[in-house]
Amino acid sequence: MTPNNIFNEILSFQSVKLTMKQERIVQAAIQLFAEKGYSNTSTAEIAKVAEASEASIFKKYGSKEKLLLSIIVPSLKEFFPTMADEVIGPISEANSTFEGFLAAFLKNRSEMVIANKEIFQVIVKELIYKEDLKNELTPYIFEAAASRLARVIDLYKERGELIDIPTHKILKSLLTFIGGFFTSHFVLLNNESVAEEVIEDAVRFIMHGIGIKTTSMN
Amino acid sequence: MTPNNIFNEILSFQSVKLTMKQERIVQAAIQLFAEKGYSNTSTAEIAKVAEASEASIFKKYGSKEKLLLSIIVPSLKEFFPTMADEVIGPISEANSTFEGFLAAFLKNRSEMVIANKEIFQVIVKELIYKEDLKNELTPYIFEAAASRLARVIDLYKERGELIDIPTHKILKSLLTFIGGFFTSHFVLLNNESVAEEVIEDAVRFIMHGIGIKTTSMN
Amino acid sequence: MTPNNIFNEILSFQSVKLTMKQERIVQAAIQLFAEKGYSNTSTAEIAKVAEASEASIFKKYGSKEKLLLSIIVPSLKEFFPTMADEVIGPISEANSTFEGFLAAFLKNRSEMVIANKEIFQVIVKELIYKEDLKNELTPYIFEAAASRLARVIDLYKERGELIDIPTHKILKSLLTFIGGFFTSHFVLLNNESVAEEVIEDAVRFIMHGIGIKTTSMN
Amino acid sequence: MTPNNIFNEILSFQSVKLTMKQERIVQAAIQLFAEKGYSNTSTAEIAKVAEASEASIFKKYGSKEKLLLSIIVPSLKEFFPTMADEVIGPISEANSTFEGFLAAFLKNRSEMVIANKEIFQVIVKELIYKEDLKNELTPYIFEAAASRLARVIDLYKERGELIDIPTHKILKSLLTFIGGFFTSHFVLLNNESVAEEVIEDAVRFIMHGIGIKTTSMN
DNA sequence: CATGAATGAGTATTCATTCAT
DNA sequence: CATGAATGAATACTCATTCAT
C-alpha cells in the first residue's frame, strides 16, 4: 500500500454521505483525539461517546488508524487549498500592503483554526509522532501553502516592501513564527479567539522585529 | 498530593546513585519515548532495549509514569536555571548589544538542547498531553526563564536598543519565535546542529523583521 | 458508591439472559472459588476451565471482584427470602411443634445448601475476609432471617414450648449452633448429604442439651 | 517430604532463639495474615511492616508458606496440649460438676484465644483452604483434644450428669456448638472479651437446650 | 545476620479487531 | 446498516524468590 493508495482510500470516505451514527463516531473521535491524543483514546471510548457500537467503527473505517486519517487528511486537503483561494487570492488587489496581507492572513487562518480547533489539535499532536504521515504530507503542504506564500513574498519584495534577502529565508522565519503563533495560541493555550490587538502585535513583530530602526542599517 | 510532593519524590530518584541496570533503563526509556512517544512505548519494550527485566523498572520507579517524570522533571529543573547562570550572566558585560546577547543565547541553548535532544523531544511531546504537568511546570518555567528574560529586555530597552512597547509584548513575540525555532529544528526536523548562519538569520528576524525600514516609522 | 449501588449493579447481571460462554464462566468461577478460594484462583484459570477467553470475563463482569459478587449476592438474595416463604410459612400449621419446625427447617435448609454447596462454600470462605461485604449484608441477612426466626421463637414461647429467657439469647444460641452445623458439615467436611438421624440429634441437642433433666431445675 | 518432615522442620524454628528482625517479621506476618489473609498479603508488605528486607524473610523461613506454617503449627502444638494439662486436669477435683467444668473450660479457652486472637484467626481462615494442612492436623487435634474430652464426657456420664447417648454424639454436638461459639465471637465478630454472662448462657444451652423440661422425657 | 538488586512467571485488565445475526 | 458476542495479543504492574556482598 503506497502512500497515495492510503491517501485516496481515505479521501473516499468523505465522498460518501455519512449516516447519523457514522457522523457521531467521527465527532466523538475528533473530540477525544484532540483532548487525550490518539494513543490514549480507545475505540471502546469512542463508541461509548458516539453512542454507537465498536463494530460500527470498524465496519466503516476498517481500523482505528484509518479513522484518524479520515479526520486528518481531508482537513488538510481542505485547509491548505482554501488558504490559496480565500486568502492568497485577495493579494492581487493591488492596494493591499504586505502588512495588510499578513493581518488578513493571520485573521482568516485563525478563524479557520478556531472553527476547527479540535481537528487542528489532533493534526498537530499526531504529526509530531507519525513520521510516515509527516513525510507523506510535507511535500503536499509545501506545494499548497509554502510555495504560494513564496510567490507572494516575491511579489512584495518586488514592490520594495520586504527586505532583499533570499525568499526561502524570509519564508522560513515567517513559518517559524506563524507556526509558533498557532501552536501556542490554539494548542498550548487552547484559546477560543484572538484579539485584533494580538494580530497587530504579531504583524508588527514580523515586519519590524523588536530592535530600534536606525537609518544606517542595511 | 500537591505538585511539590510529586516534584520532590521524582527528584529523589536522581539523588541516589543509579546501578548499571537502572542507568540502562533510563537511557532506553529516553530513547524510546523520544522516538515513539510515551504512550506508544511499552514497559516490555523498554526492558528489552535495556536488557533488564520489567520488574526492575517497577522496583525502582514504581510506575511507567514516574519513570517518565524522572526523565522530564530533573531535566527541566536543570535546563532553566543553568540558563540563568550561564547565559543571562554574561549580559552584565556592558559592551554586549542585545543582538549579541540573542545570538549567544540561541547558540548556547541550541547546544544545550542538541546535547540532550532526546530528552527535549520527550518533554515537548508529552507536555502537549499532560495538562497537569503543564500547569505544574508553567509557573516554575516562568520564574526561571521568562521573568529573567523580561529583566534583560528592560535593561536593553533602557539602553535604547529595543522598541518602546510593553515588555510583556516583546517577551511574548520573542518566546513565540524562539519556541517555533527550537520546536521546528529539534523536534520536527530532528536536526543535529544549527549553522552559525541560521542563528544570524533568526537574530536578524527578531531584531528587524522582514519589512523595509523607513525613517518615518514609529 | 453506597452499598445499594453495588448491590443493584450486581443484581443487574442476572436479569439479562446469559450466553452459553457467560454461563460457563460463572460455573467455572463457582467451582474454582469454592475449591481454592477467590484469591487463589486466577482469571486465566477461570477462562481455561470455562473454555472462554479472559477478555470475555471482563467484557461481561468488568472485574474479578464483580464476578465474585455476581455469584454471592444473588444467591444470598435468593437464599434468605425463600427461607421465609418456604420454611417459616409452614409454621402456621398449628399442630406443628417447635421440634417439628426445627427438624423441617434444618432438613430444608440442608437440602438447599447441598443443592448449591459450592456457592455456599464460596460465600462462607469469602465473607470471612470481606469486611465490607459482611457489613453490607449483615443487616439484610438479619432482617430476612434472624428477625423472622425471632418471631417464631416468640410464638412457641407463648405456647410454652420454649424456655422463658430473652428471645435474643435463644436466637443467639440457636444461630451459633446452626452456624456450626452448616459450616462443619458443608464447608469443613464437605458432606454430600445429612442423614435423618443427624438432624434428629441436632434437634435433640438444641431442645434439651446434653444434661440430665432434673425436676428441680429452674 | 512427608507431613511429619514438614511438621518437624517447622517446629525447629521455635527452638532457636529469634533475632529482633526475625521476631518483627513473625509479628508482622501474624498481624497481616490475620487481617487480610495469607493470600492477600505479600512478602513485600510483611517486610515493610517489619521494617526488614524481604531477603531476611527467605533467609530464615525459606518460603512464604513455611513462614505461615511456622506461625500456625507451633501454636496448635501449644494450644491443644495445654488444654489437656491446664483445663482437663482440674477435672479430678471431684466436687466439680460438668457444668462447672464447661464454664471453666470455655472461660479458660476464651482467654487463651483472646490472648492469641490474631493467630487464632490465621489458623481458622487458612484451615478452610488448606486441605492438606487440615488432613495433617486433624488426627493430631483429635488425639490432643477430642479424645480427652470424650474421656471427660464418659466420666460425667458415669456420674449421671449427662444423658445416656453414645459419647461420640455428645461430643459432636458439643464441638459443633463450641466451634460456632469461638468462630462467631473471635473471627466473625472479632470480640476482645467474653462476658461472664455469655459463658453462662452458652453453658445453659449446652446442658439444657432451649426446650421446656418435662418430667416425662427420657 | 542482613540486605539491595535483580528477575521469571504470573496477574488483572485493556485493546483493536472479527464475525454471525 | 448496525451490533452483541467473542477473542488473541498486549499492557502495566506484582509476586515470591535468589544471590552477591
Side-chain angles (χ1 to χ4, degrees):
Chain A
M1 238 197 286
T2 70
N4 276 332
N5 285 348
I6 296 181
F7 233 79
N8 292 331
E9 186 192 350
I10 296 301
L11 287 168
S12 74
F13 285 128
Q14 63 172 172
S15 60
V16 197
K17 198 79 186 156
L18 293 183
T19 64
M20 215 185 65
K21 287 267 166 175
Q22 287 164 355
E23 186 57 39
R24 298 184 72 141
I25 287 169
V26 178
Q27 288 312 318
I30 290 172
Q31 177 201 320
L32 290 166
F33 289 167
E35 189 183 323
K36 332 180 352 174
Y38 172 78
S39 293
N40 304 312
T41 303
S42 71
T43 51
E45 210 170 351
I46 296 169
K48 197 175 163 189
V49 171
E51 291 177 276
S53 69
E54 279 189 83
S56 293
I57 297 175
F58 289 92
K59 181 82 172 187
K60 177 72 183 176
Y61 296 99
S63 75
K64 189 189 166 192
E65 174 122 40
K66 283 196 202 148
L67 171 59
L68 171 68
L69 294 178
S70 84
I71 291 167
I72 289 182
V73 174
S75 293
L76 287 175
K77 199 114 187 172
E78 166 100 36
F79 188 80
F80 290 104
T82 61
M83 193 155 113
D85 302 338
E86 293 180 18
V87 186
I88 302 187
I91 289 165
S92 48
E93 297 162 49
N95 60 339
S96 177
T97 61
F98 191 74
E99 279 197 50
F101 164 77
L102 254 186
F105 177 80
L106 287 178
K107 189 154 185 286
N108 173 288
R109 288 299 89 185
S110 290
E111 279 161 6
M112 189 348 164
V113 167
I114 287 166
N116 303 278
K117 200 172 60 174
E118 289 187 322
I119 292 182
F120 181 72
Q121 290 176 349
V122 175
I123 290 171
V124 170
K125 287 180 176 178
E126 294 315 317
L127 236 46
I128 289 180
Y129 289 103
K130 314 260 169 190
E131 208 65 28
D132 294 352
L133 191 61
K134 201 161 69 187
N135 294 335
E136 241 171 69
L137 294 175
T138 306
Y140 180 78
I141 292 175
F142 189 80
E143 167 129 8
S147 73
R148 286 180 199 246
L149 267 180
R151 271 185 271 143
V152 179
I153 289 167
D154 284 336
L155 177 64
Y156 285 97
K157 258 167 75 178
E158 278 166 29
R159 294 197 194 162
E161 285 192 39
L162 301 181
I163 57 175
D164 188 25
I165 61 172
T167 299
H168 79 266
K169 288 195 175 187
I170 294 179
L171 189 57
K172 188 179 173 186
S173 291
L174 196 53
L175 291 180
T176 297
F177 182 79
I178 291 176
F181 183 87
F182 281 101
T183 310
S184 65
H185 281 280
F186 305 120
V187 180
L188 281 185
L189 301 176
N190 197 20
N191 288 343
E192 293 297 337
S193 63
V194 253
E196 202 73 32
E197 195 193 352
V198 168
I199 288 183
E200 283 167 20
D201 291 343
V203 169
R204 184 178 48 216
F205 178 75
I206 292 171
M207 294 307 289
H208 310 295
I210 61 175
I212 285 292
K213 283 117 233 129
T214 57
T215 359
S216 59
M217 269 211 89
N218 84 312
Chain B
M1 232 192 293
T2 70
N4 277 329
N5 285 350
I6 297 180
F7 234 79
N8 292 331
E9 187 193 347
I10 296 301
L11 286 168
S12 75
F13 286 128
Q14 64 171 174
S15 60
V16 198
K17 199 83 187 152
L18 292 183
T19 64
M20 220 184 61
K21 288 263 168 178
Q22 286 162 357
E23 187 57 41
R24 299 182 71 144
I25 287 169
V26 179
Q27 288 312 319
I30 290 173
Q31 176 201 319
L32 290 166
F33 288 166
E35 188 183 325
K36 332 181 351 174
Y38 172 78
S39 294
N40 304 311
T41 303
S42 71
T43 52
E45 211 171 349
I46 295 169
K48 198 175 162 190
V49 171
E51 290 177 280
S53 69
E54 278 190 83
S56 293
I57 298 175
F58 289 94
K59 196 78 169 190
K60 180 71 181 180
Y61 296 99
S63 73
K64 191 187 165 193
E65 173 124 38
K66 280 195 201 150
L67 172 59
L68 171 68
L69 293 178
S70 84
I71 291 167
I72 289 183
V73 173
S75 293
L76 287 175
K77 200 115 188 172
E78 167 101 41
F79 187 80
F80 291 103
T82 60
M83 192 155 117
D85 301 338
E86 293 180 20
V87 186
I88 302 188
I91 291 166
S92 50
E93 296 163 49
N95 59 341
S96 177
T97 63
F98 191 74
E99 280 196 48
F101 164 78
L102 254 185
F105 178 82
L106 287 178
K107 187 154 187 286
N108 172 289
R109 288 300 88 186
S110 291
E111 279 161 4
M112 187 355 161
V113 167
I114 287 166
N116 303 278
K117 199 173 60 174
E118 290 188 319
I119 292 182
F120 182 73
Q121 291 176 347
V122 174
I123 291 172
V124 170
K125 287 180 176 178
E126 294 315 317
L127 236 45
I128 290 180
Y129 287 102
K130 314 261 168 189
E131 207 65 28
D132 293 352
L133 191 59
K134 201 161 69 187
N135 294 335
E136 241 171 70
L137 294 175
T138 305
Y140 181 78
I141 292 175
F142 187 82
E143 169 127 7
S147 74
R148 284 178 202 250
L149 270 179
R151 270 184 273 144
V152 179
I153 290 169
D154 284 336
L155 177 65
Y156 284 99
K157 259 165 73 177
E158 279 166 31
R159 293 196 193 164
E161 286 191 37
L162 301 180
I163 58 175
D164 189 25
I165 62 171
T167 300
H168 79 266
K169 288 196 174 188
I170 295 179
L171 189 56
K172 189 179 170 185
S173 292
L174 195 54
L175 291 180
T176 298
F177 181 78
I178 291 176
F181 181 86
F182 281 101
T183 310
S184 64
H185 281 280
F186 305 119
V187 180
L188 281 185
L189 302 176
N190 198 19
N191 288 342
E192 293 297 339
S193 63
V194 252
E196 204 74 31
E197 196 195 351
V198 169
I199 289 183
E200 281 166 22
D201 290 344
V203 170
R204 185 179 47 220
F205 178 74
I206 292 170
M207 294 306 289
H208 310 297
I210 61 175
I212 286 291
K213 283 121 242 127
T214 58
T215 357
S216 60
M217 269 212 90
N218 83 311
Chain C
M1 231 191 298
T2 69
N4 277 330
N5 286 349
I6 297 179
F7 232 80
N8 292 331
E9 187 193 348
I10 296 300
L11 287 170
S12 75
F13 285 128
Q14 63 172 174
S15 61
V16 198
K17 199 83 188 153
L18 294 182
T19 65
M20 218 184 61
K21 288 265 170 179
Q22 287 162 355
E23 187 57 41
R24 298 181 72 146
I25 287 169
V26 179
Q27 288 312 318
I30 290 173
Q31 177 200 321
L32 291 166
F33 288 167
E35 189 183 323
K36 332 181 351 175
Y38 172 79
S39 294
N40 303 311
T41 303
S42 72
T43 52
E45 210 171 350
I46 295 169
K48 198 176 164 192
V49 170
E51 290 176 281
S53 69
E54 279 189 83
S56 292
I57 297 175
F58 290 92
K59 196 77 168 190
K60 179 71 181 178
Y61 296 98
S63 74
K64 189 187 166 194
E65 173 124 38
K66 280 195 203 149
L67 172 58
L68 171 67
L69 293 178
S70 83
I71 291 167
I72 289 183
V73 174
S75 292
L76 287 174
K77 200 114 185 175
E78 167 102 40
F79 187 81
F80 290 104
T82 60
M83 191 155 115
D85 301 337
E86 291 180 21
V87 186
I88 302 187
I91 289 166
S92 49
E93 298 162 47
N95 60 339
S96 178
T97 62
F98 190 74
E99 280 196 47
F101 164 78
L102 255 185
F105 177 82
L106 287 178
K107 188 154 187 286
N108 173 288
R109 289 299 88 187
S110 291
E111 279 163 4
M112 177 14 147
V113 167
I114 287 166
N116 302 279
K117 198 172 63 177
E118 289 187 319
I119 293 182
F120 182 72
Q121 290 176 347
V122 174
I123 291 172
V124 170
K125 286 179 176 178
E126 294 314 317
L127 235 46
I128 290 180
Y129 288 101
K130 313 262 169 187
E131 208 65 28
D132 294 351
L133 191 60
K134 201 162 67 185
N135 295 335
E136 241 172 68
L137 293 175
T138 305
Y140 181 78
I141 291 175
F142 188 81
E143 169 129 7
S147 74
R148 283 176 202 250
L149 270 180
R151 271 185 271 144
V152 179
I153 289 168
D154 283 336
L155 176 65
Y156 285 97
K157 258 166 75 178
E158 278 165 32
R159 292 193 195 168
E161 286 191 37
L162 301 179
I163 56 174
D164 188 26
I165 62 171
T167 298
H168 79 265
K169 288 195 172 185
I170 293 179
L171 189 57
K172 189 179 171 185
S173 291
L174 196 54
L175 291 179
T176 298
F177 182 79
I178 291 176
F181 182 87
F182 281 101
T183 311
S184 64
H185 281 279
F186 305 119
V187 180
L188 282 184
L189 302 176
N190 198 18
N191 289 342
E192 293 297 338
S193 62
V194 254
E196 201 75 29
E197 194 196 351
V198 168
I199 290 183
E200 281 166 23
D201 291 344
V203 170
R204 186 178 48 217
F205 178 74
I206 293 171
M207 294 306 289
H208 309 296
I210 62 175
I212 285 290
K213 281 120 234 129
T214 58
T215 359
S216 59
M217 270 210 90
N218 77 315
Chain D
M1 238 198 286
T2 69
N4 276 330
N5 286 349
I6 297 181
F7 232 80
N8 291 332
E9 186 193 350
I10 295 300
L11 287 169
S12 74
F13 285 129
Q14 63 173 172
S15 60
V16 197
K17 199 79 187 159
L18 293 182
T19 65
M20 215 185 64
K21 287 267 167 175
Q22 287 163 354
E23 186 57 40
R24 298 184 72 142
I25 287 170
V26 178
Q27 288 311 318
I30 290 173
Q31 178 201 320
L32 291 166
F33 289 167
E35 191 183 321
K36 332 180 354 176
Y38 173 77
S39 293
N40 304 312
T41 303
S42 70
T43 51
E45 210 171 351
I46 295 168
K48 197 176 165 190
V49 171
E51 293 176 276
S53 69
E54 279 189 83
S56 292
I57 297 175
F58 289 92
K59 181 80 171 189
K60 177 71 182 177
Y61 296 98
S63 75
K64 190 188 167 194
E65 173 122 37
K66 281 194 204 151
L67 171 58
L68 171 68
L69 294 178
S70 84
I71 291 166
I72 288 183
V73 174
S75 292
L76 287 175
K77 199 112 186 175
E78 166 102 35
F79 187 80
F80 291 105
T82 60
M83 191 154 115
D85 302 337
E86 292 179 21
V87 187
I88 302 188
I91 290 168
S92 49
E93 297 162 47
N95 60 339
S96 176
T97 62
F98 191 74
E99 280 197 48
F101 164 77
L102 256 185
F105 177 81
L106 287 178
K107 188 155 186 285
N108 173 288
R109 288 300 88 187
S110 291
E111 279 162 4
M112 197 335 171
V113 167
I114 287 166
N116 302 280
K117 198 172 62 175
E118 289 187 321
I119 293 182
F120 182 71
Q121 291 176 347
V122 174
I123 291 172
V124 170
K125 286 180 177 177
E126 294 314 317
L127 235 46
I128 289 180
Y129 289 103
K130 313 261 170 188
E131 208 66 26
D132 294 352
L133 191 61
K134 201 162 66 187
N135 295 335
E136 239 172 70
L137 294 175
T138 305
Y140 181 79
I141 292 175
F142 189 81
E143 170 131 6
S147 74
R148 284 178 202 248
L149 269 180
R151 270 184 273 143
V152 178
I153 288 168
D154 284 336
L155 177 64
Y156 285 97
K157 257 166 77 177
E158 279 165 31
R159 292 191 194 169
E161 285 192 38
L162 302 181
I163 56 173
D164 188 25
I165 61 172
T167 299
H168 79 266
K169 287 196 174 186
I170 294 179
L171 189 57
K172 188 179 171 185
S173 291
L174 196 53
L175 291 180
T176 298
F177 182 80
I178 291 176
F181 182 87
F182 281 101
T183 311
S184 64
H185 280 280
F186 304 119
V187 180
L188 282 184
L189 302 177
N190 198 19
N191 288 342
E192 293 295 339
S193 63
V194 254
E196 201 75 31
E197 195 196 350
V198 168
I199 289 183
E200 282 167 22
D201 290 343
V203 170
R204 186 178 48 217
F205 178 74
I206 293 171
M207 295 306 289
H208 311 296
I210 62 175
I212 284 290
K213 283 119 240 134
T214 58
T215 358
S216 59
M217 271 209 89
N218 83 310

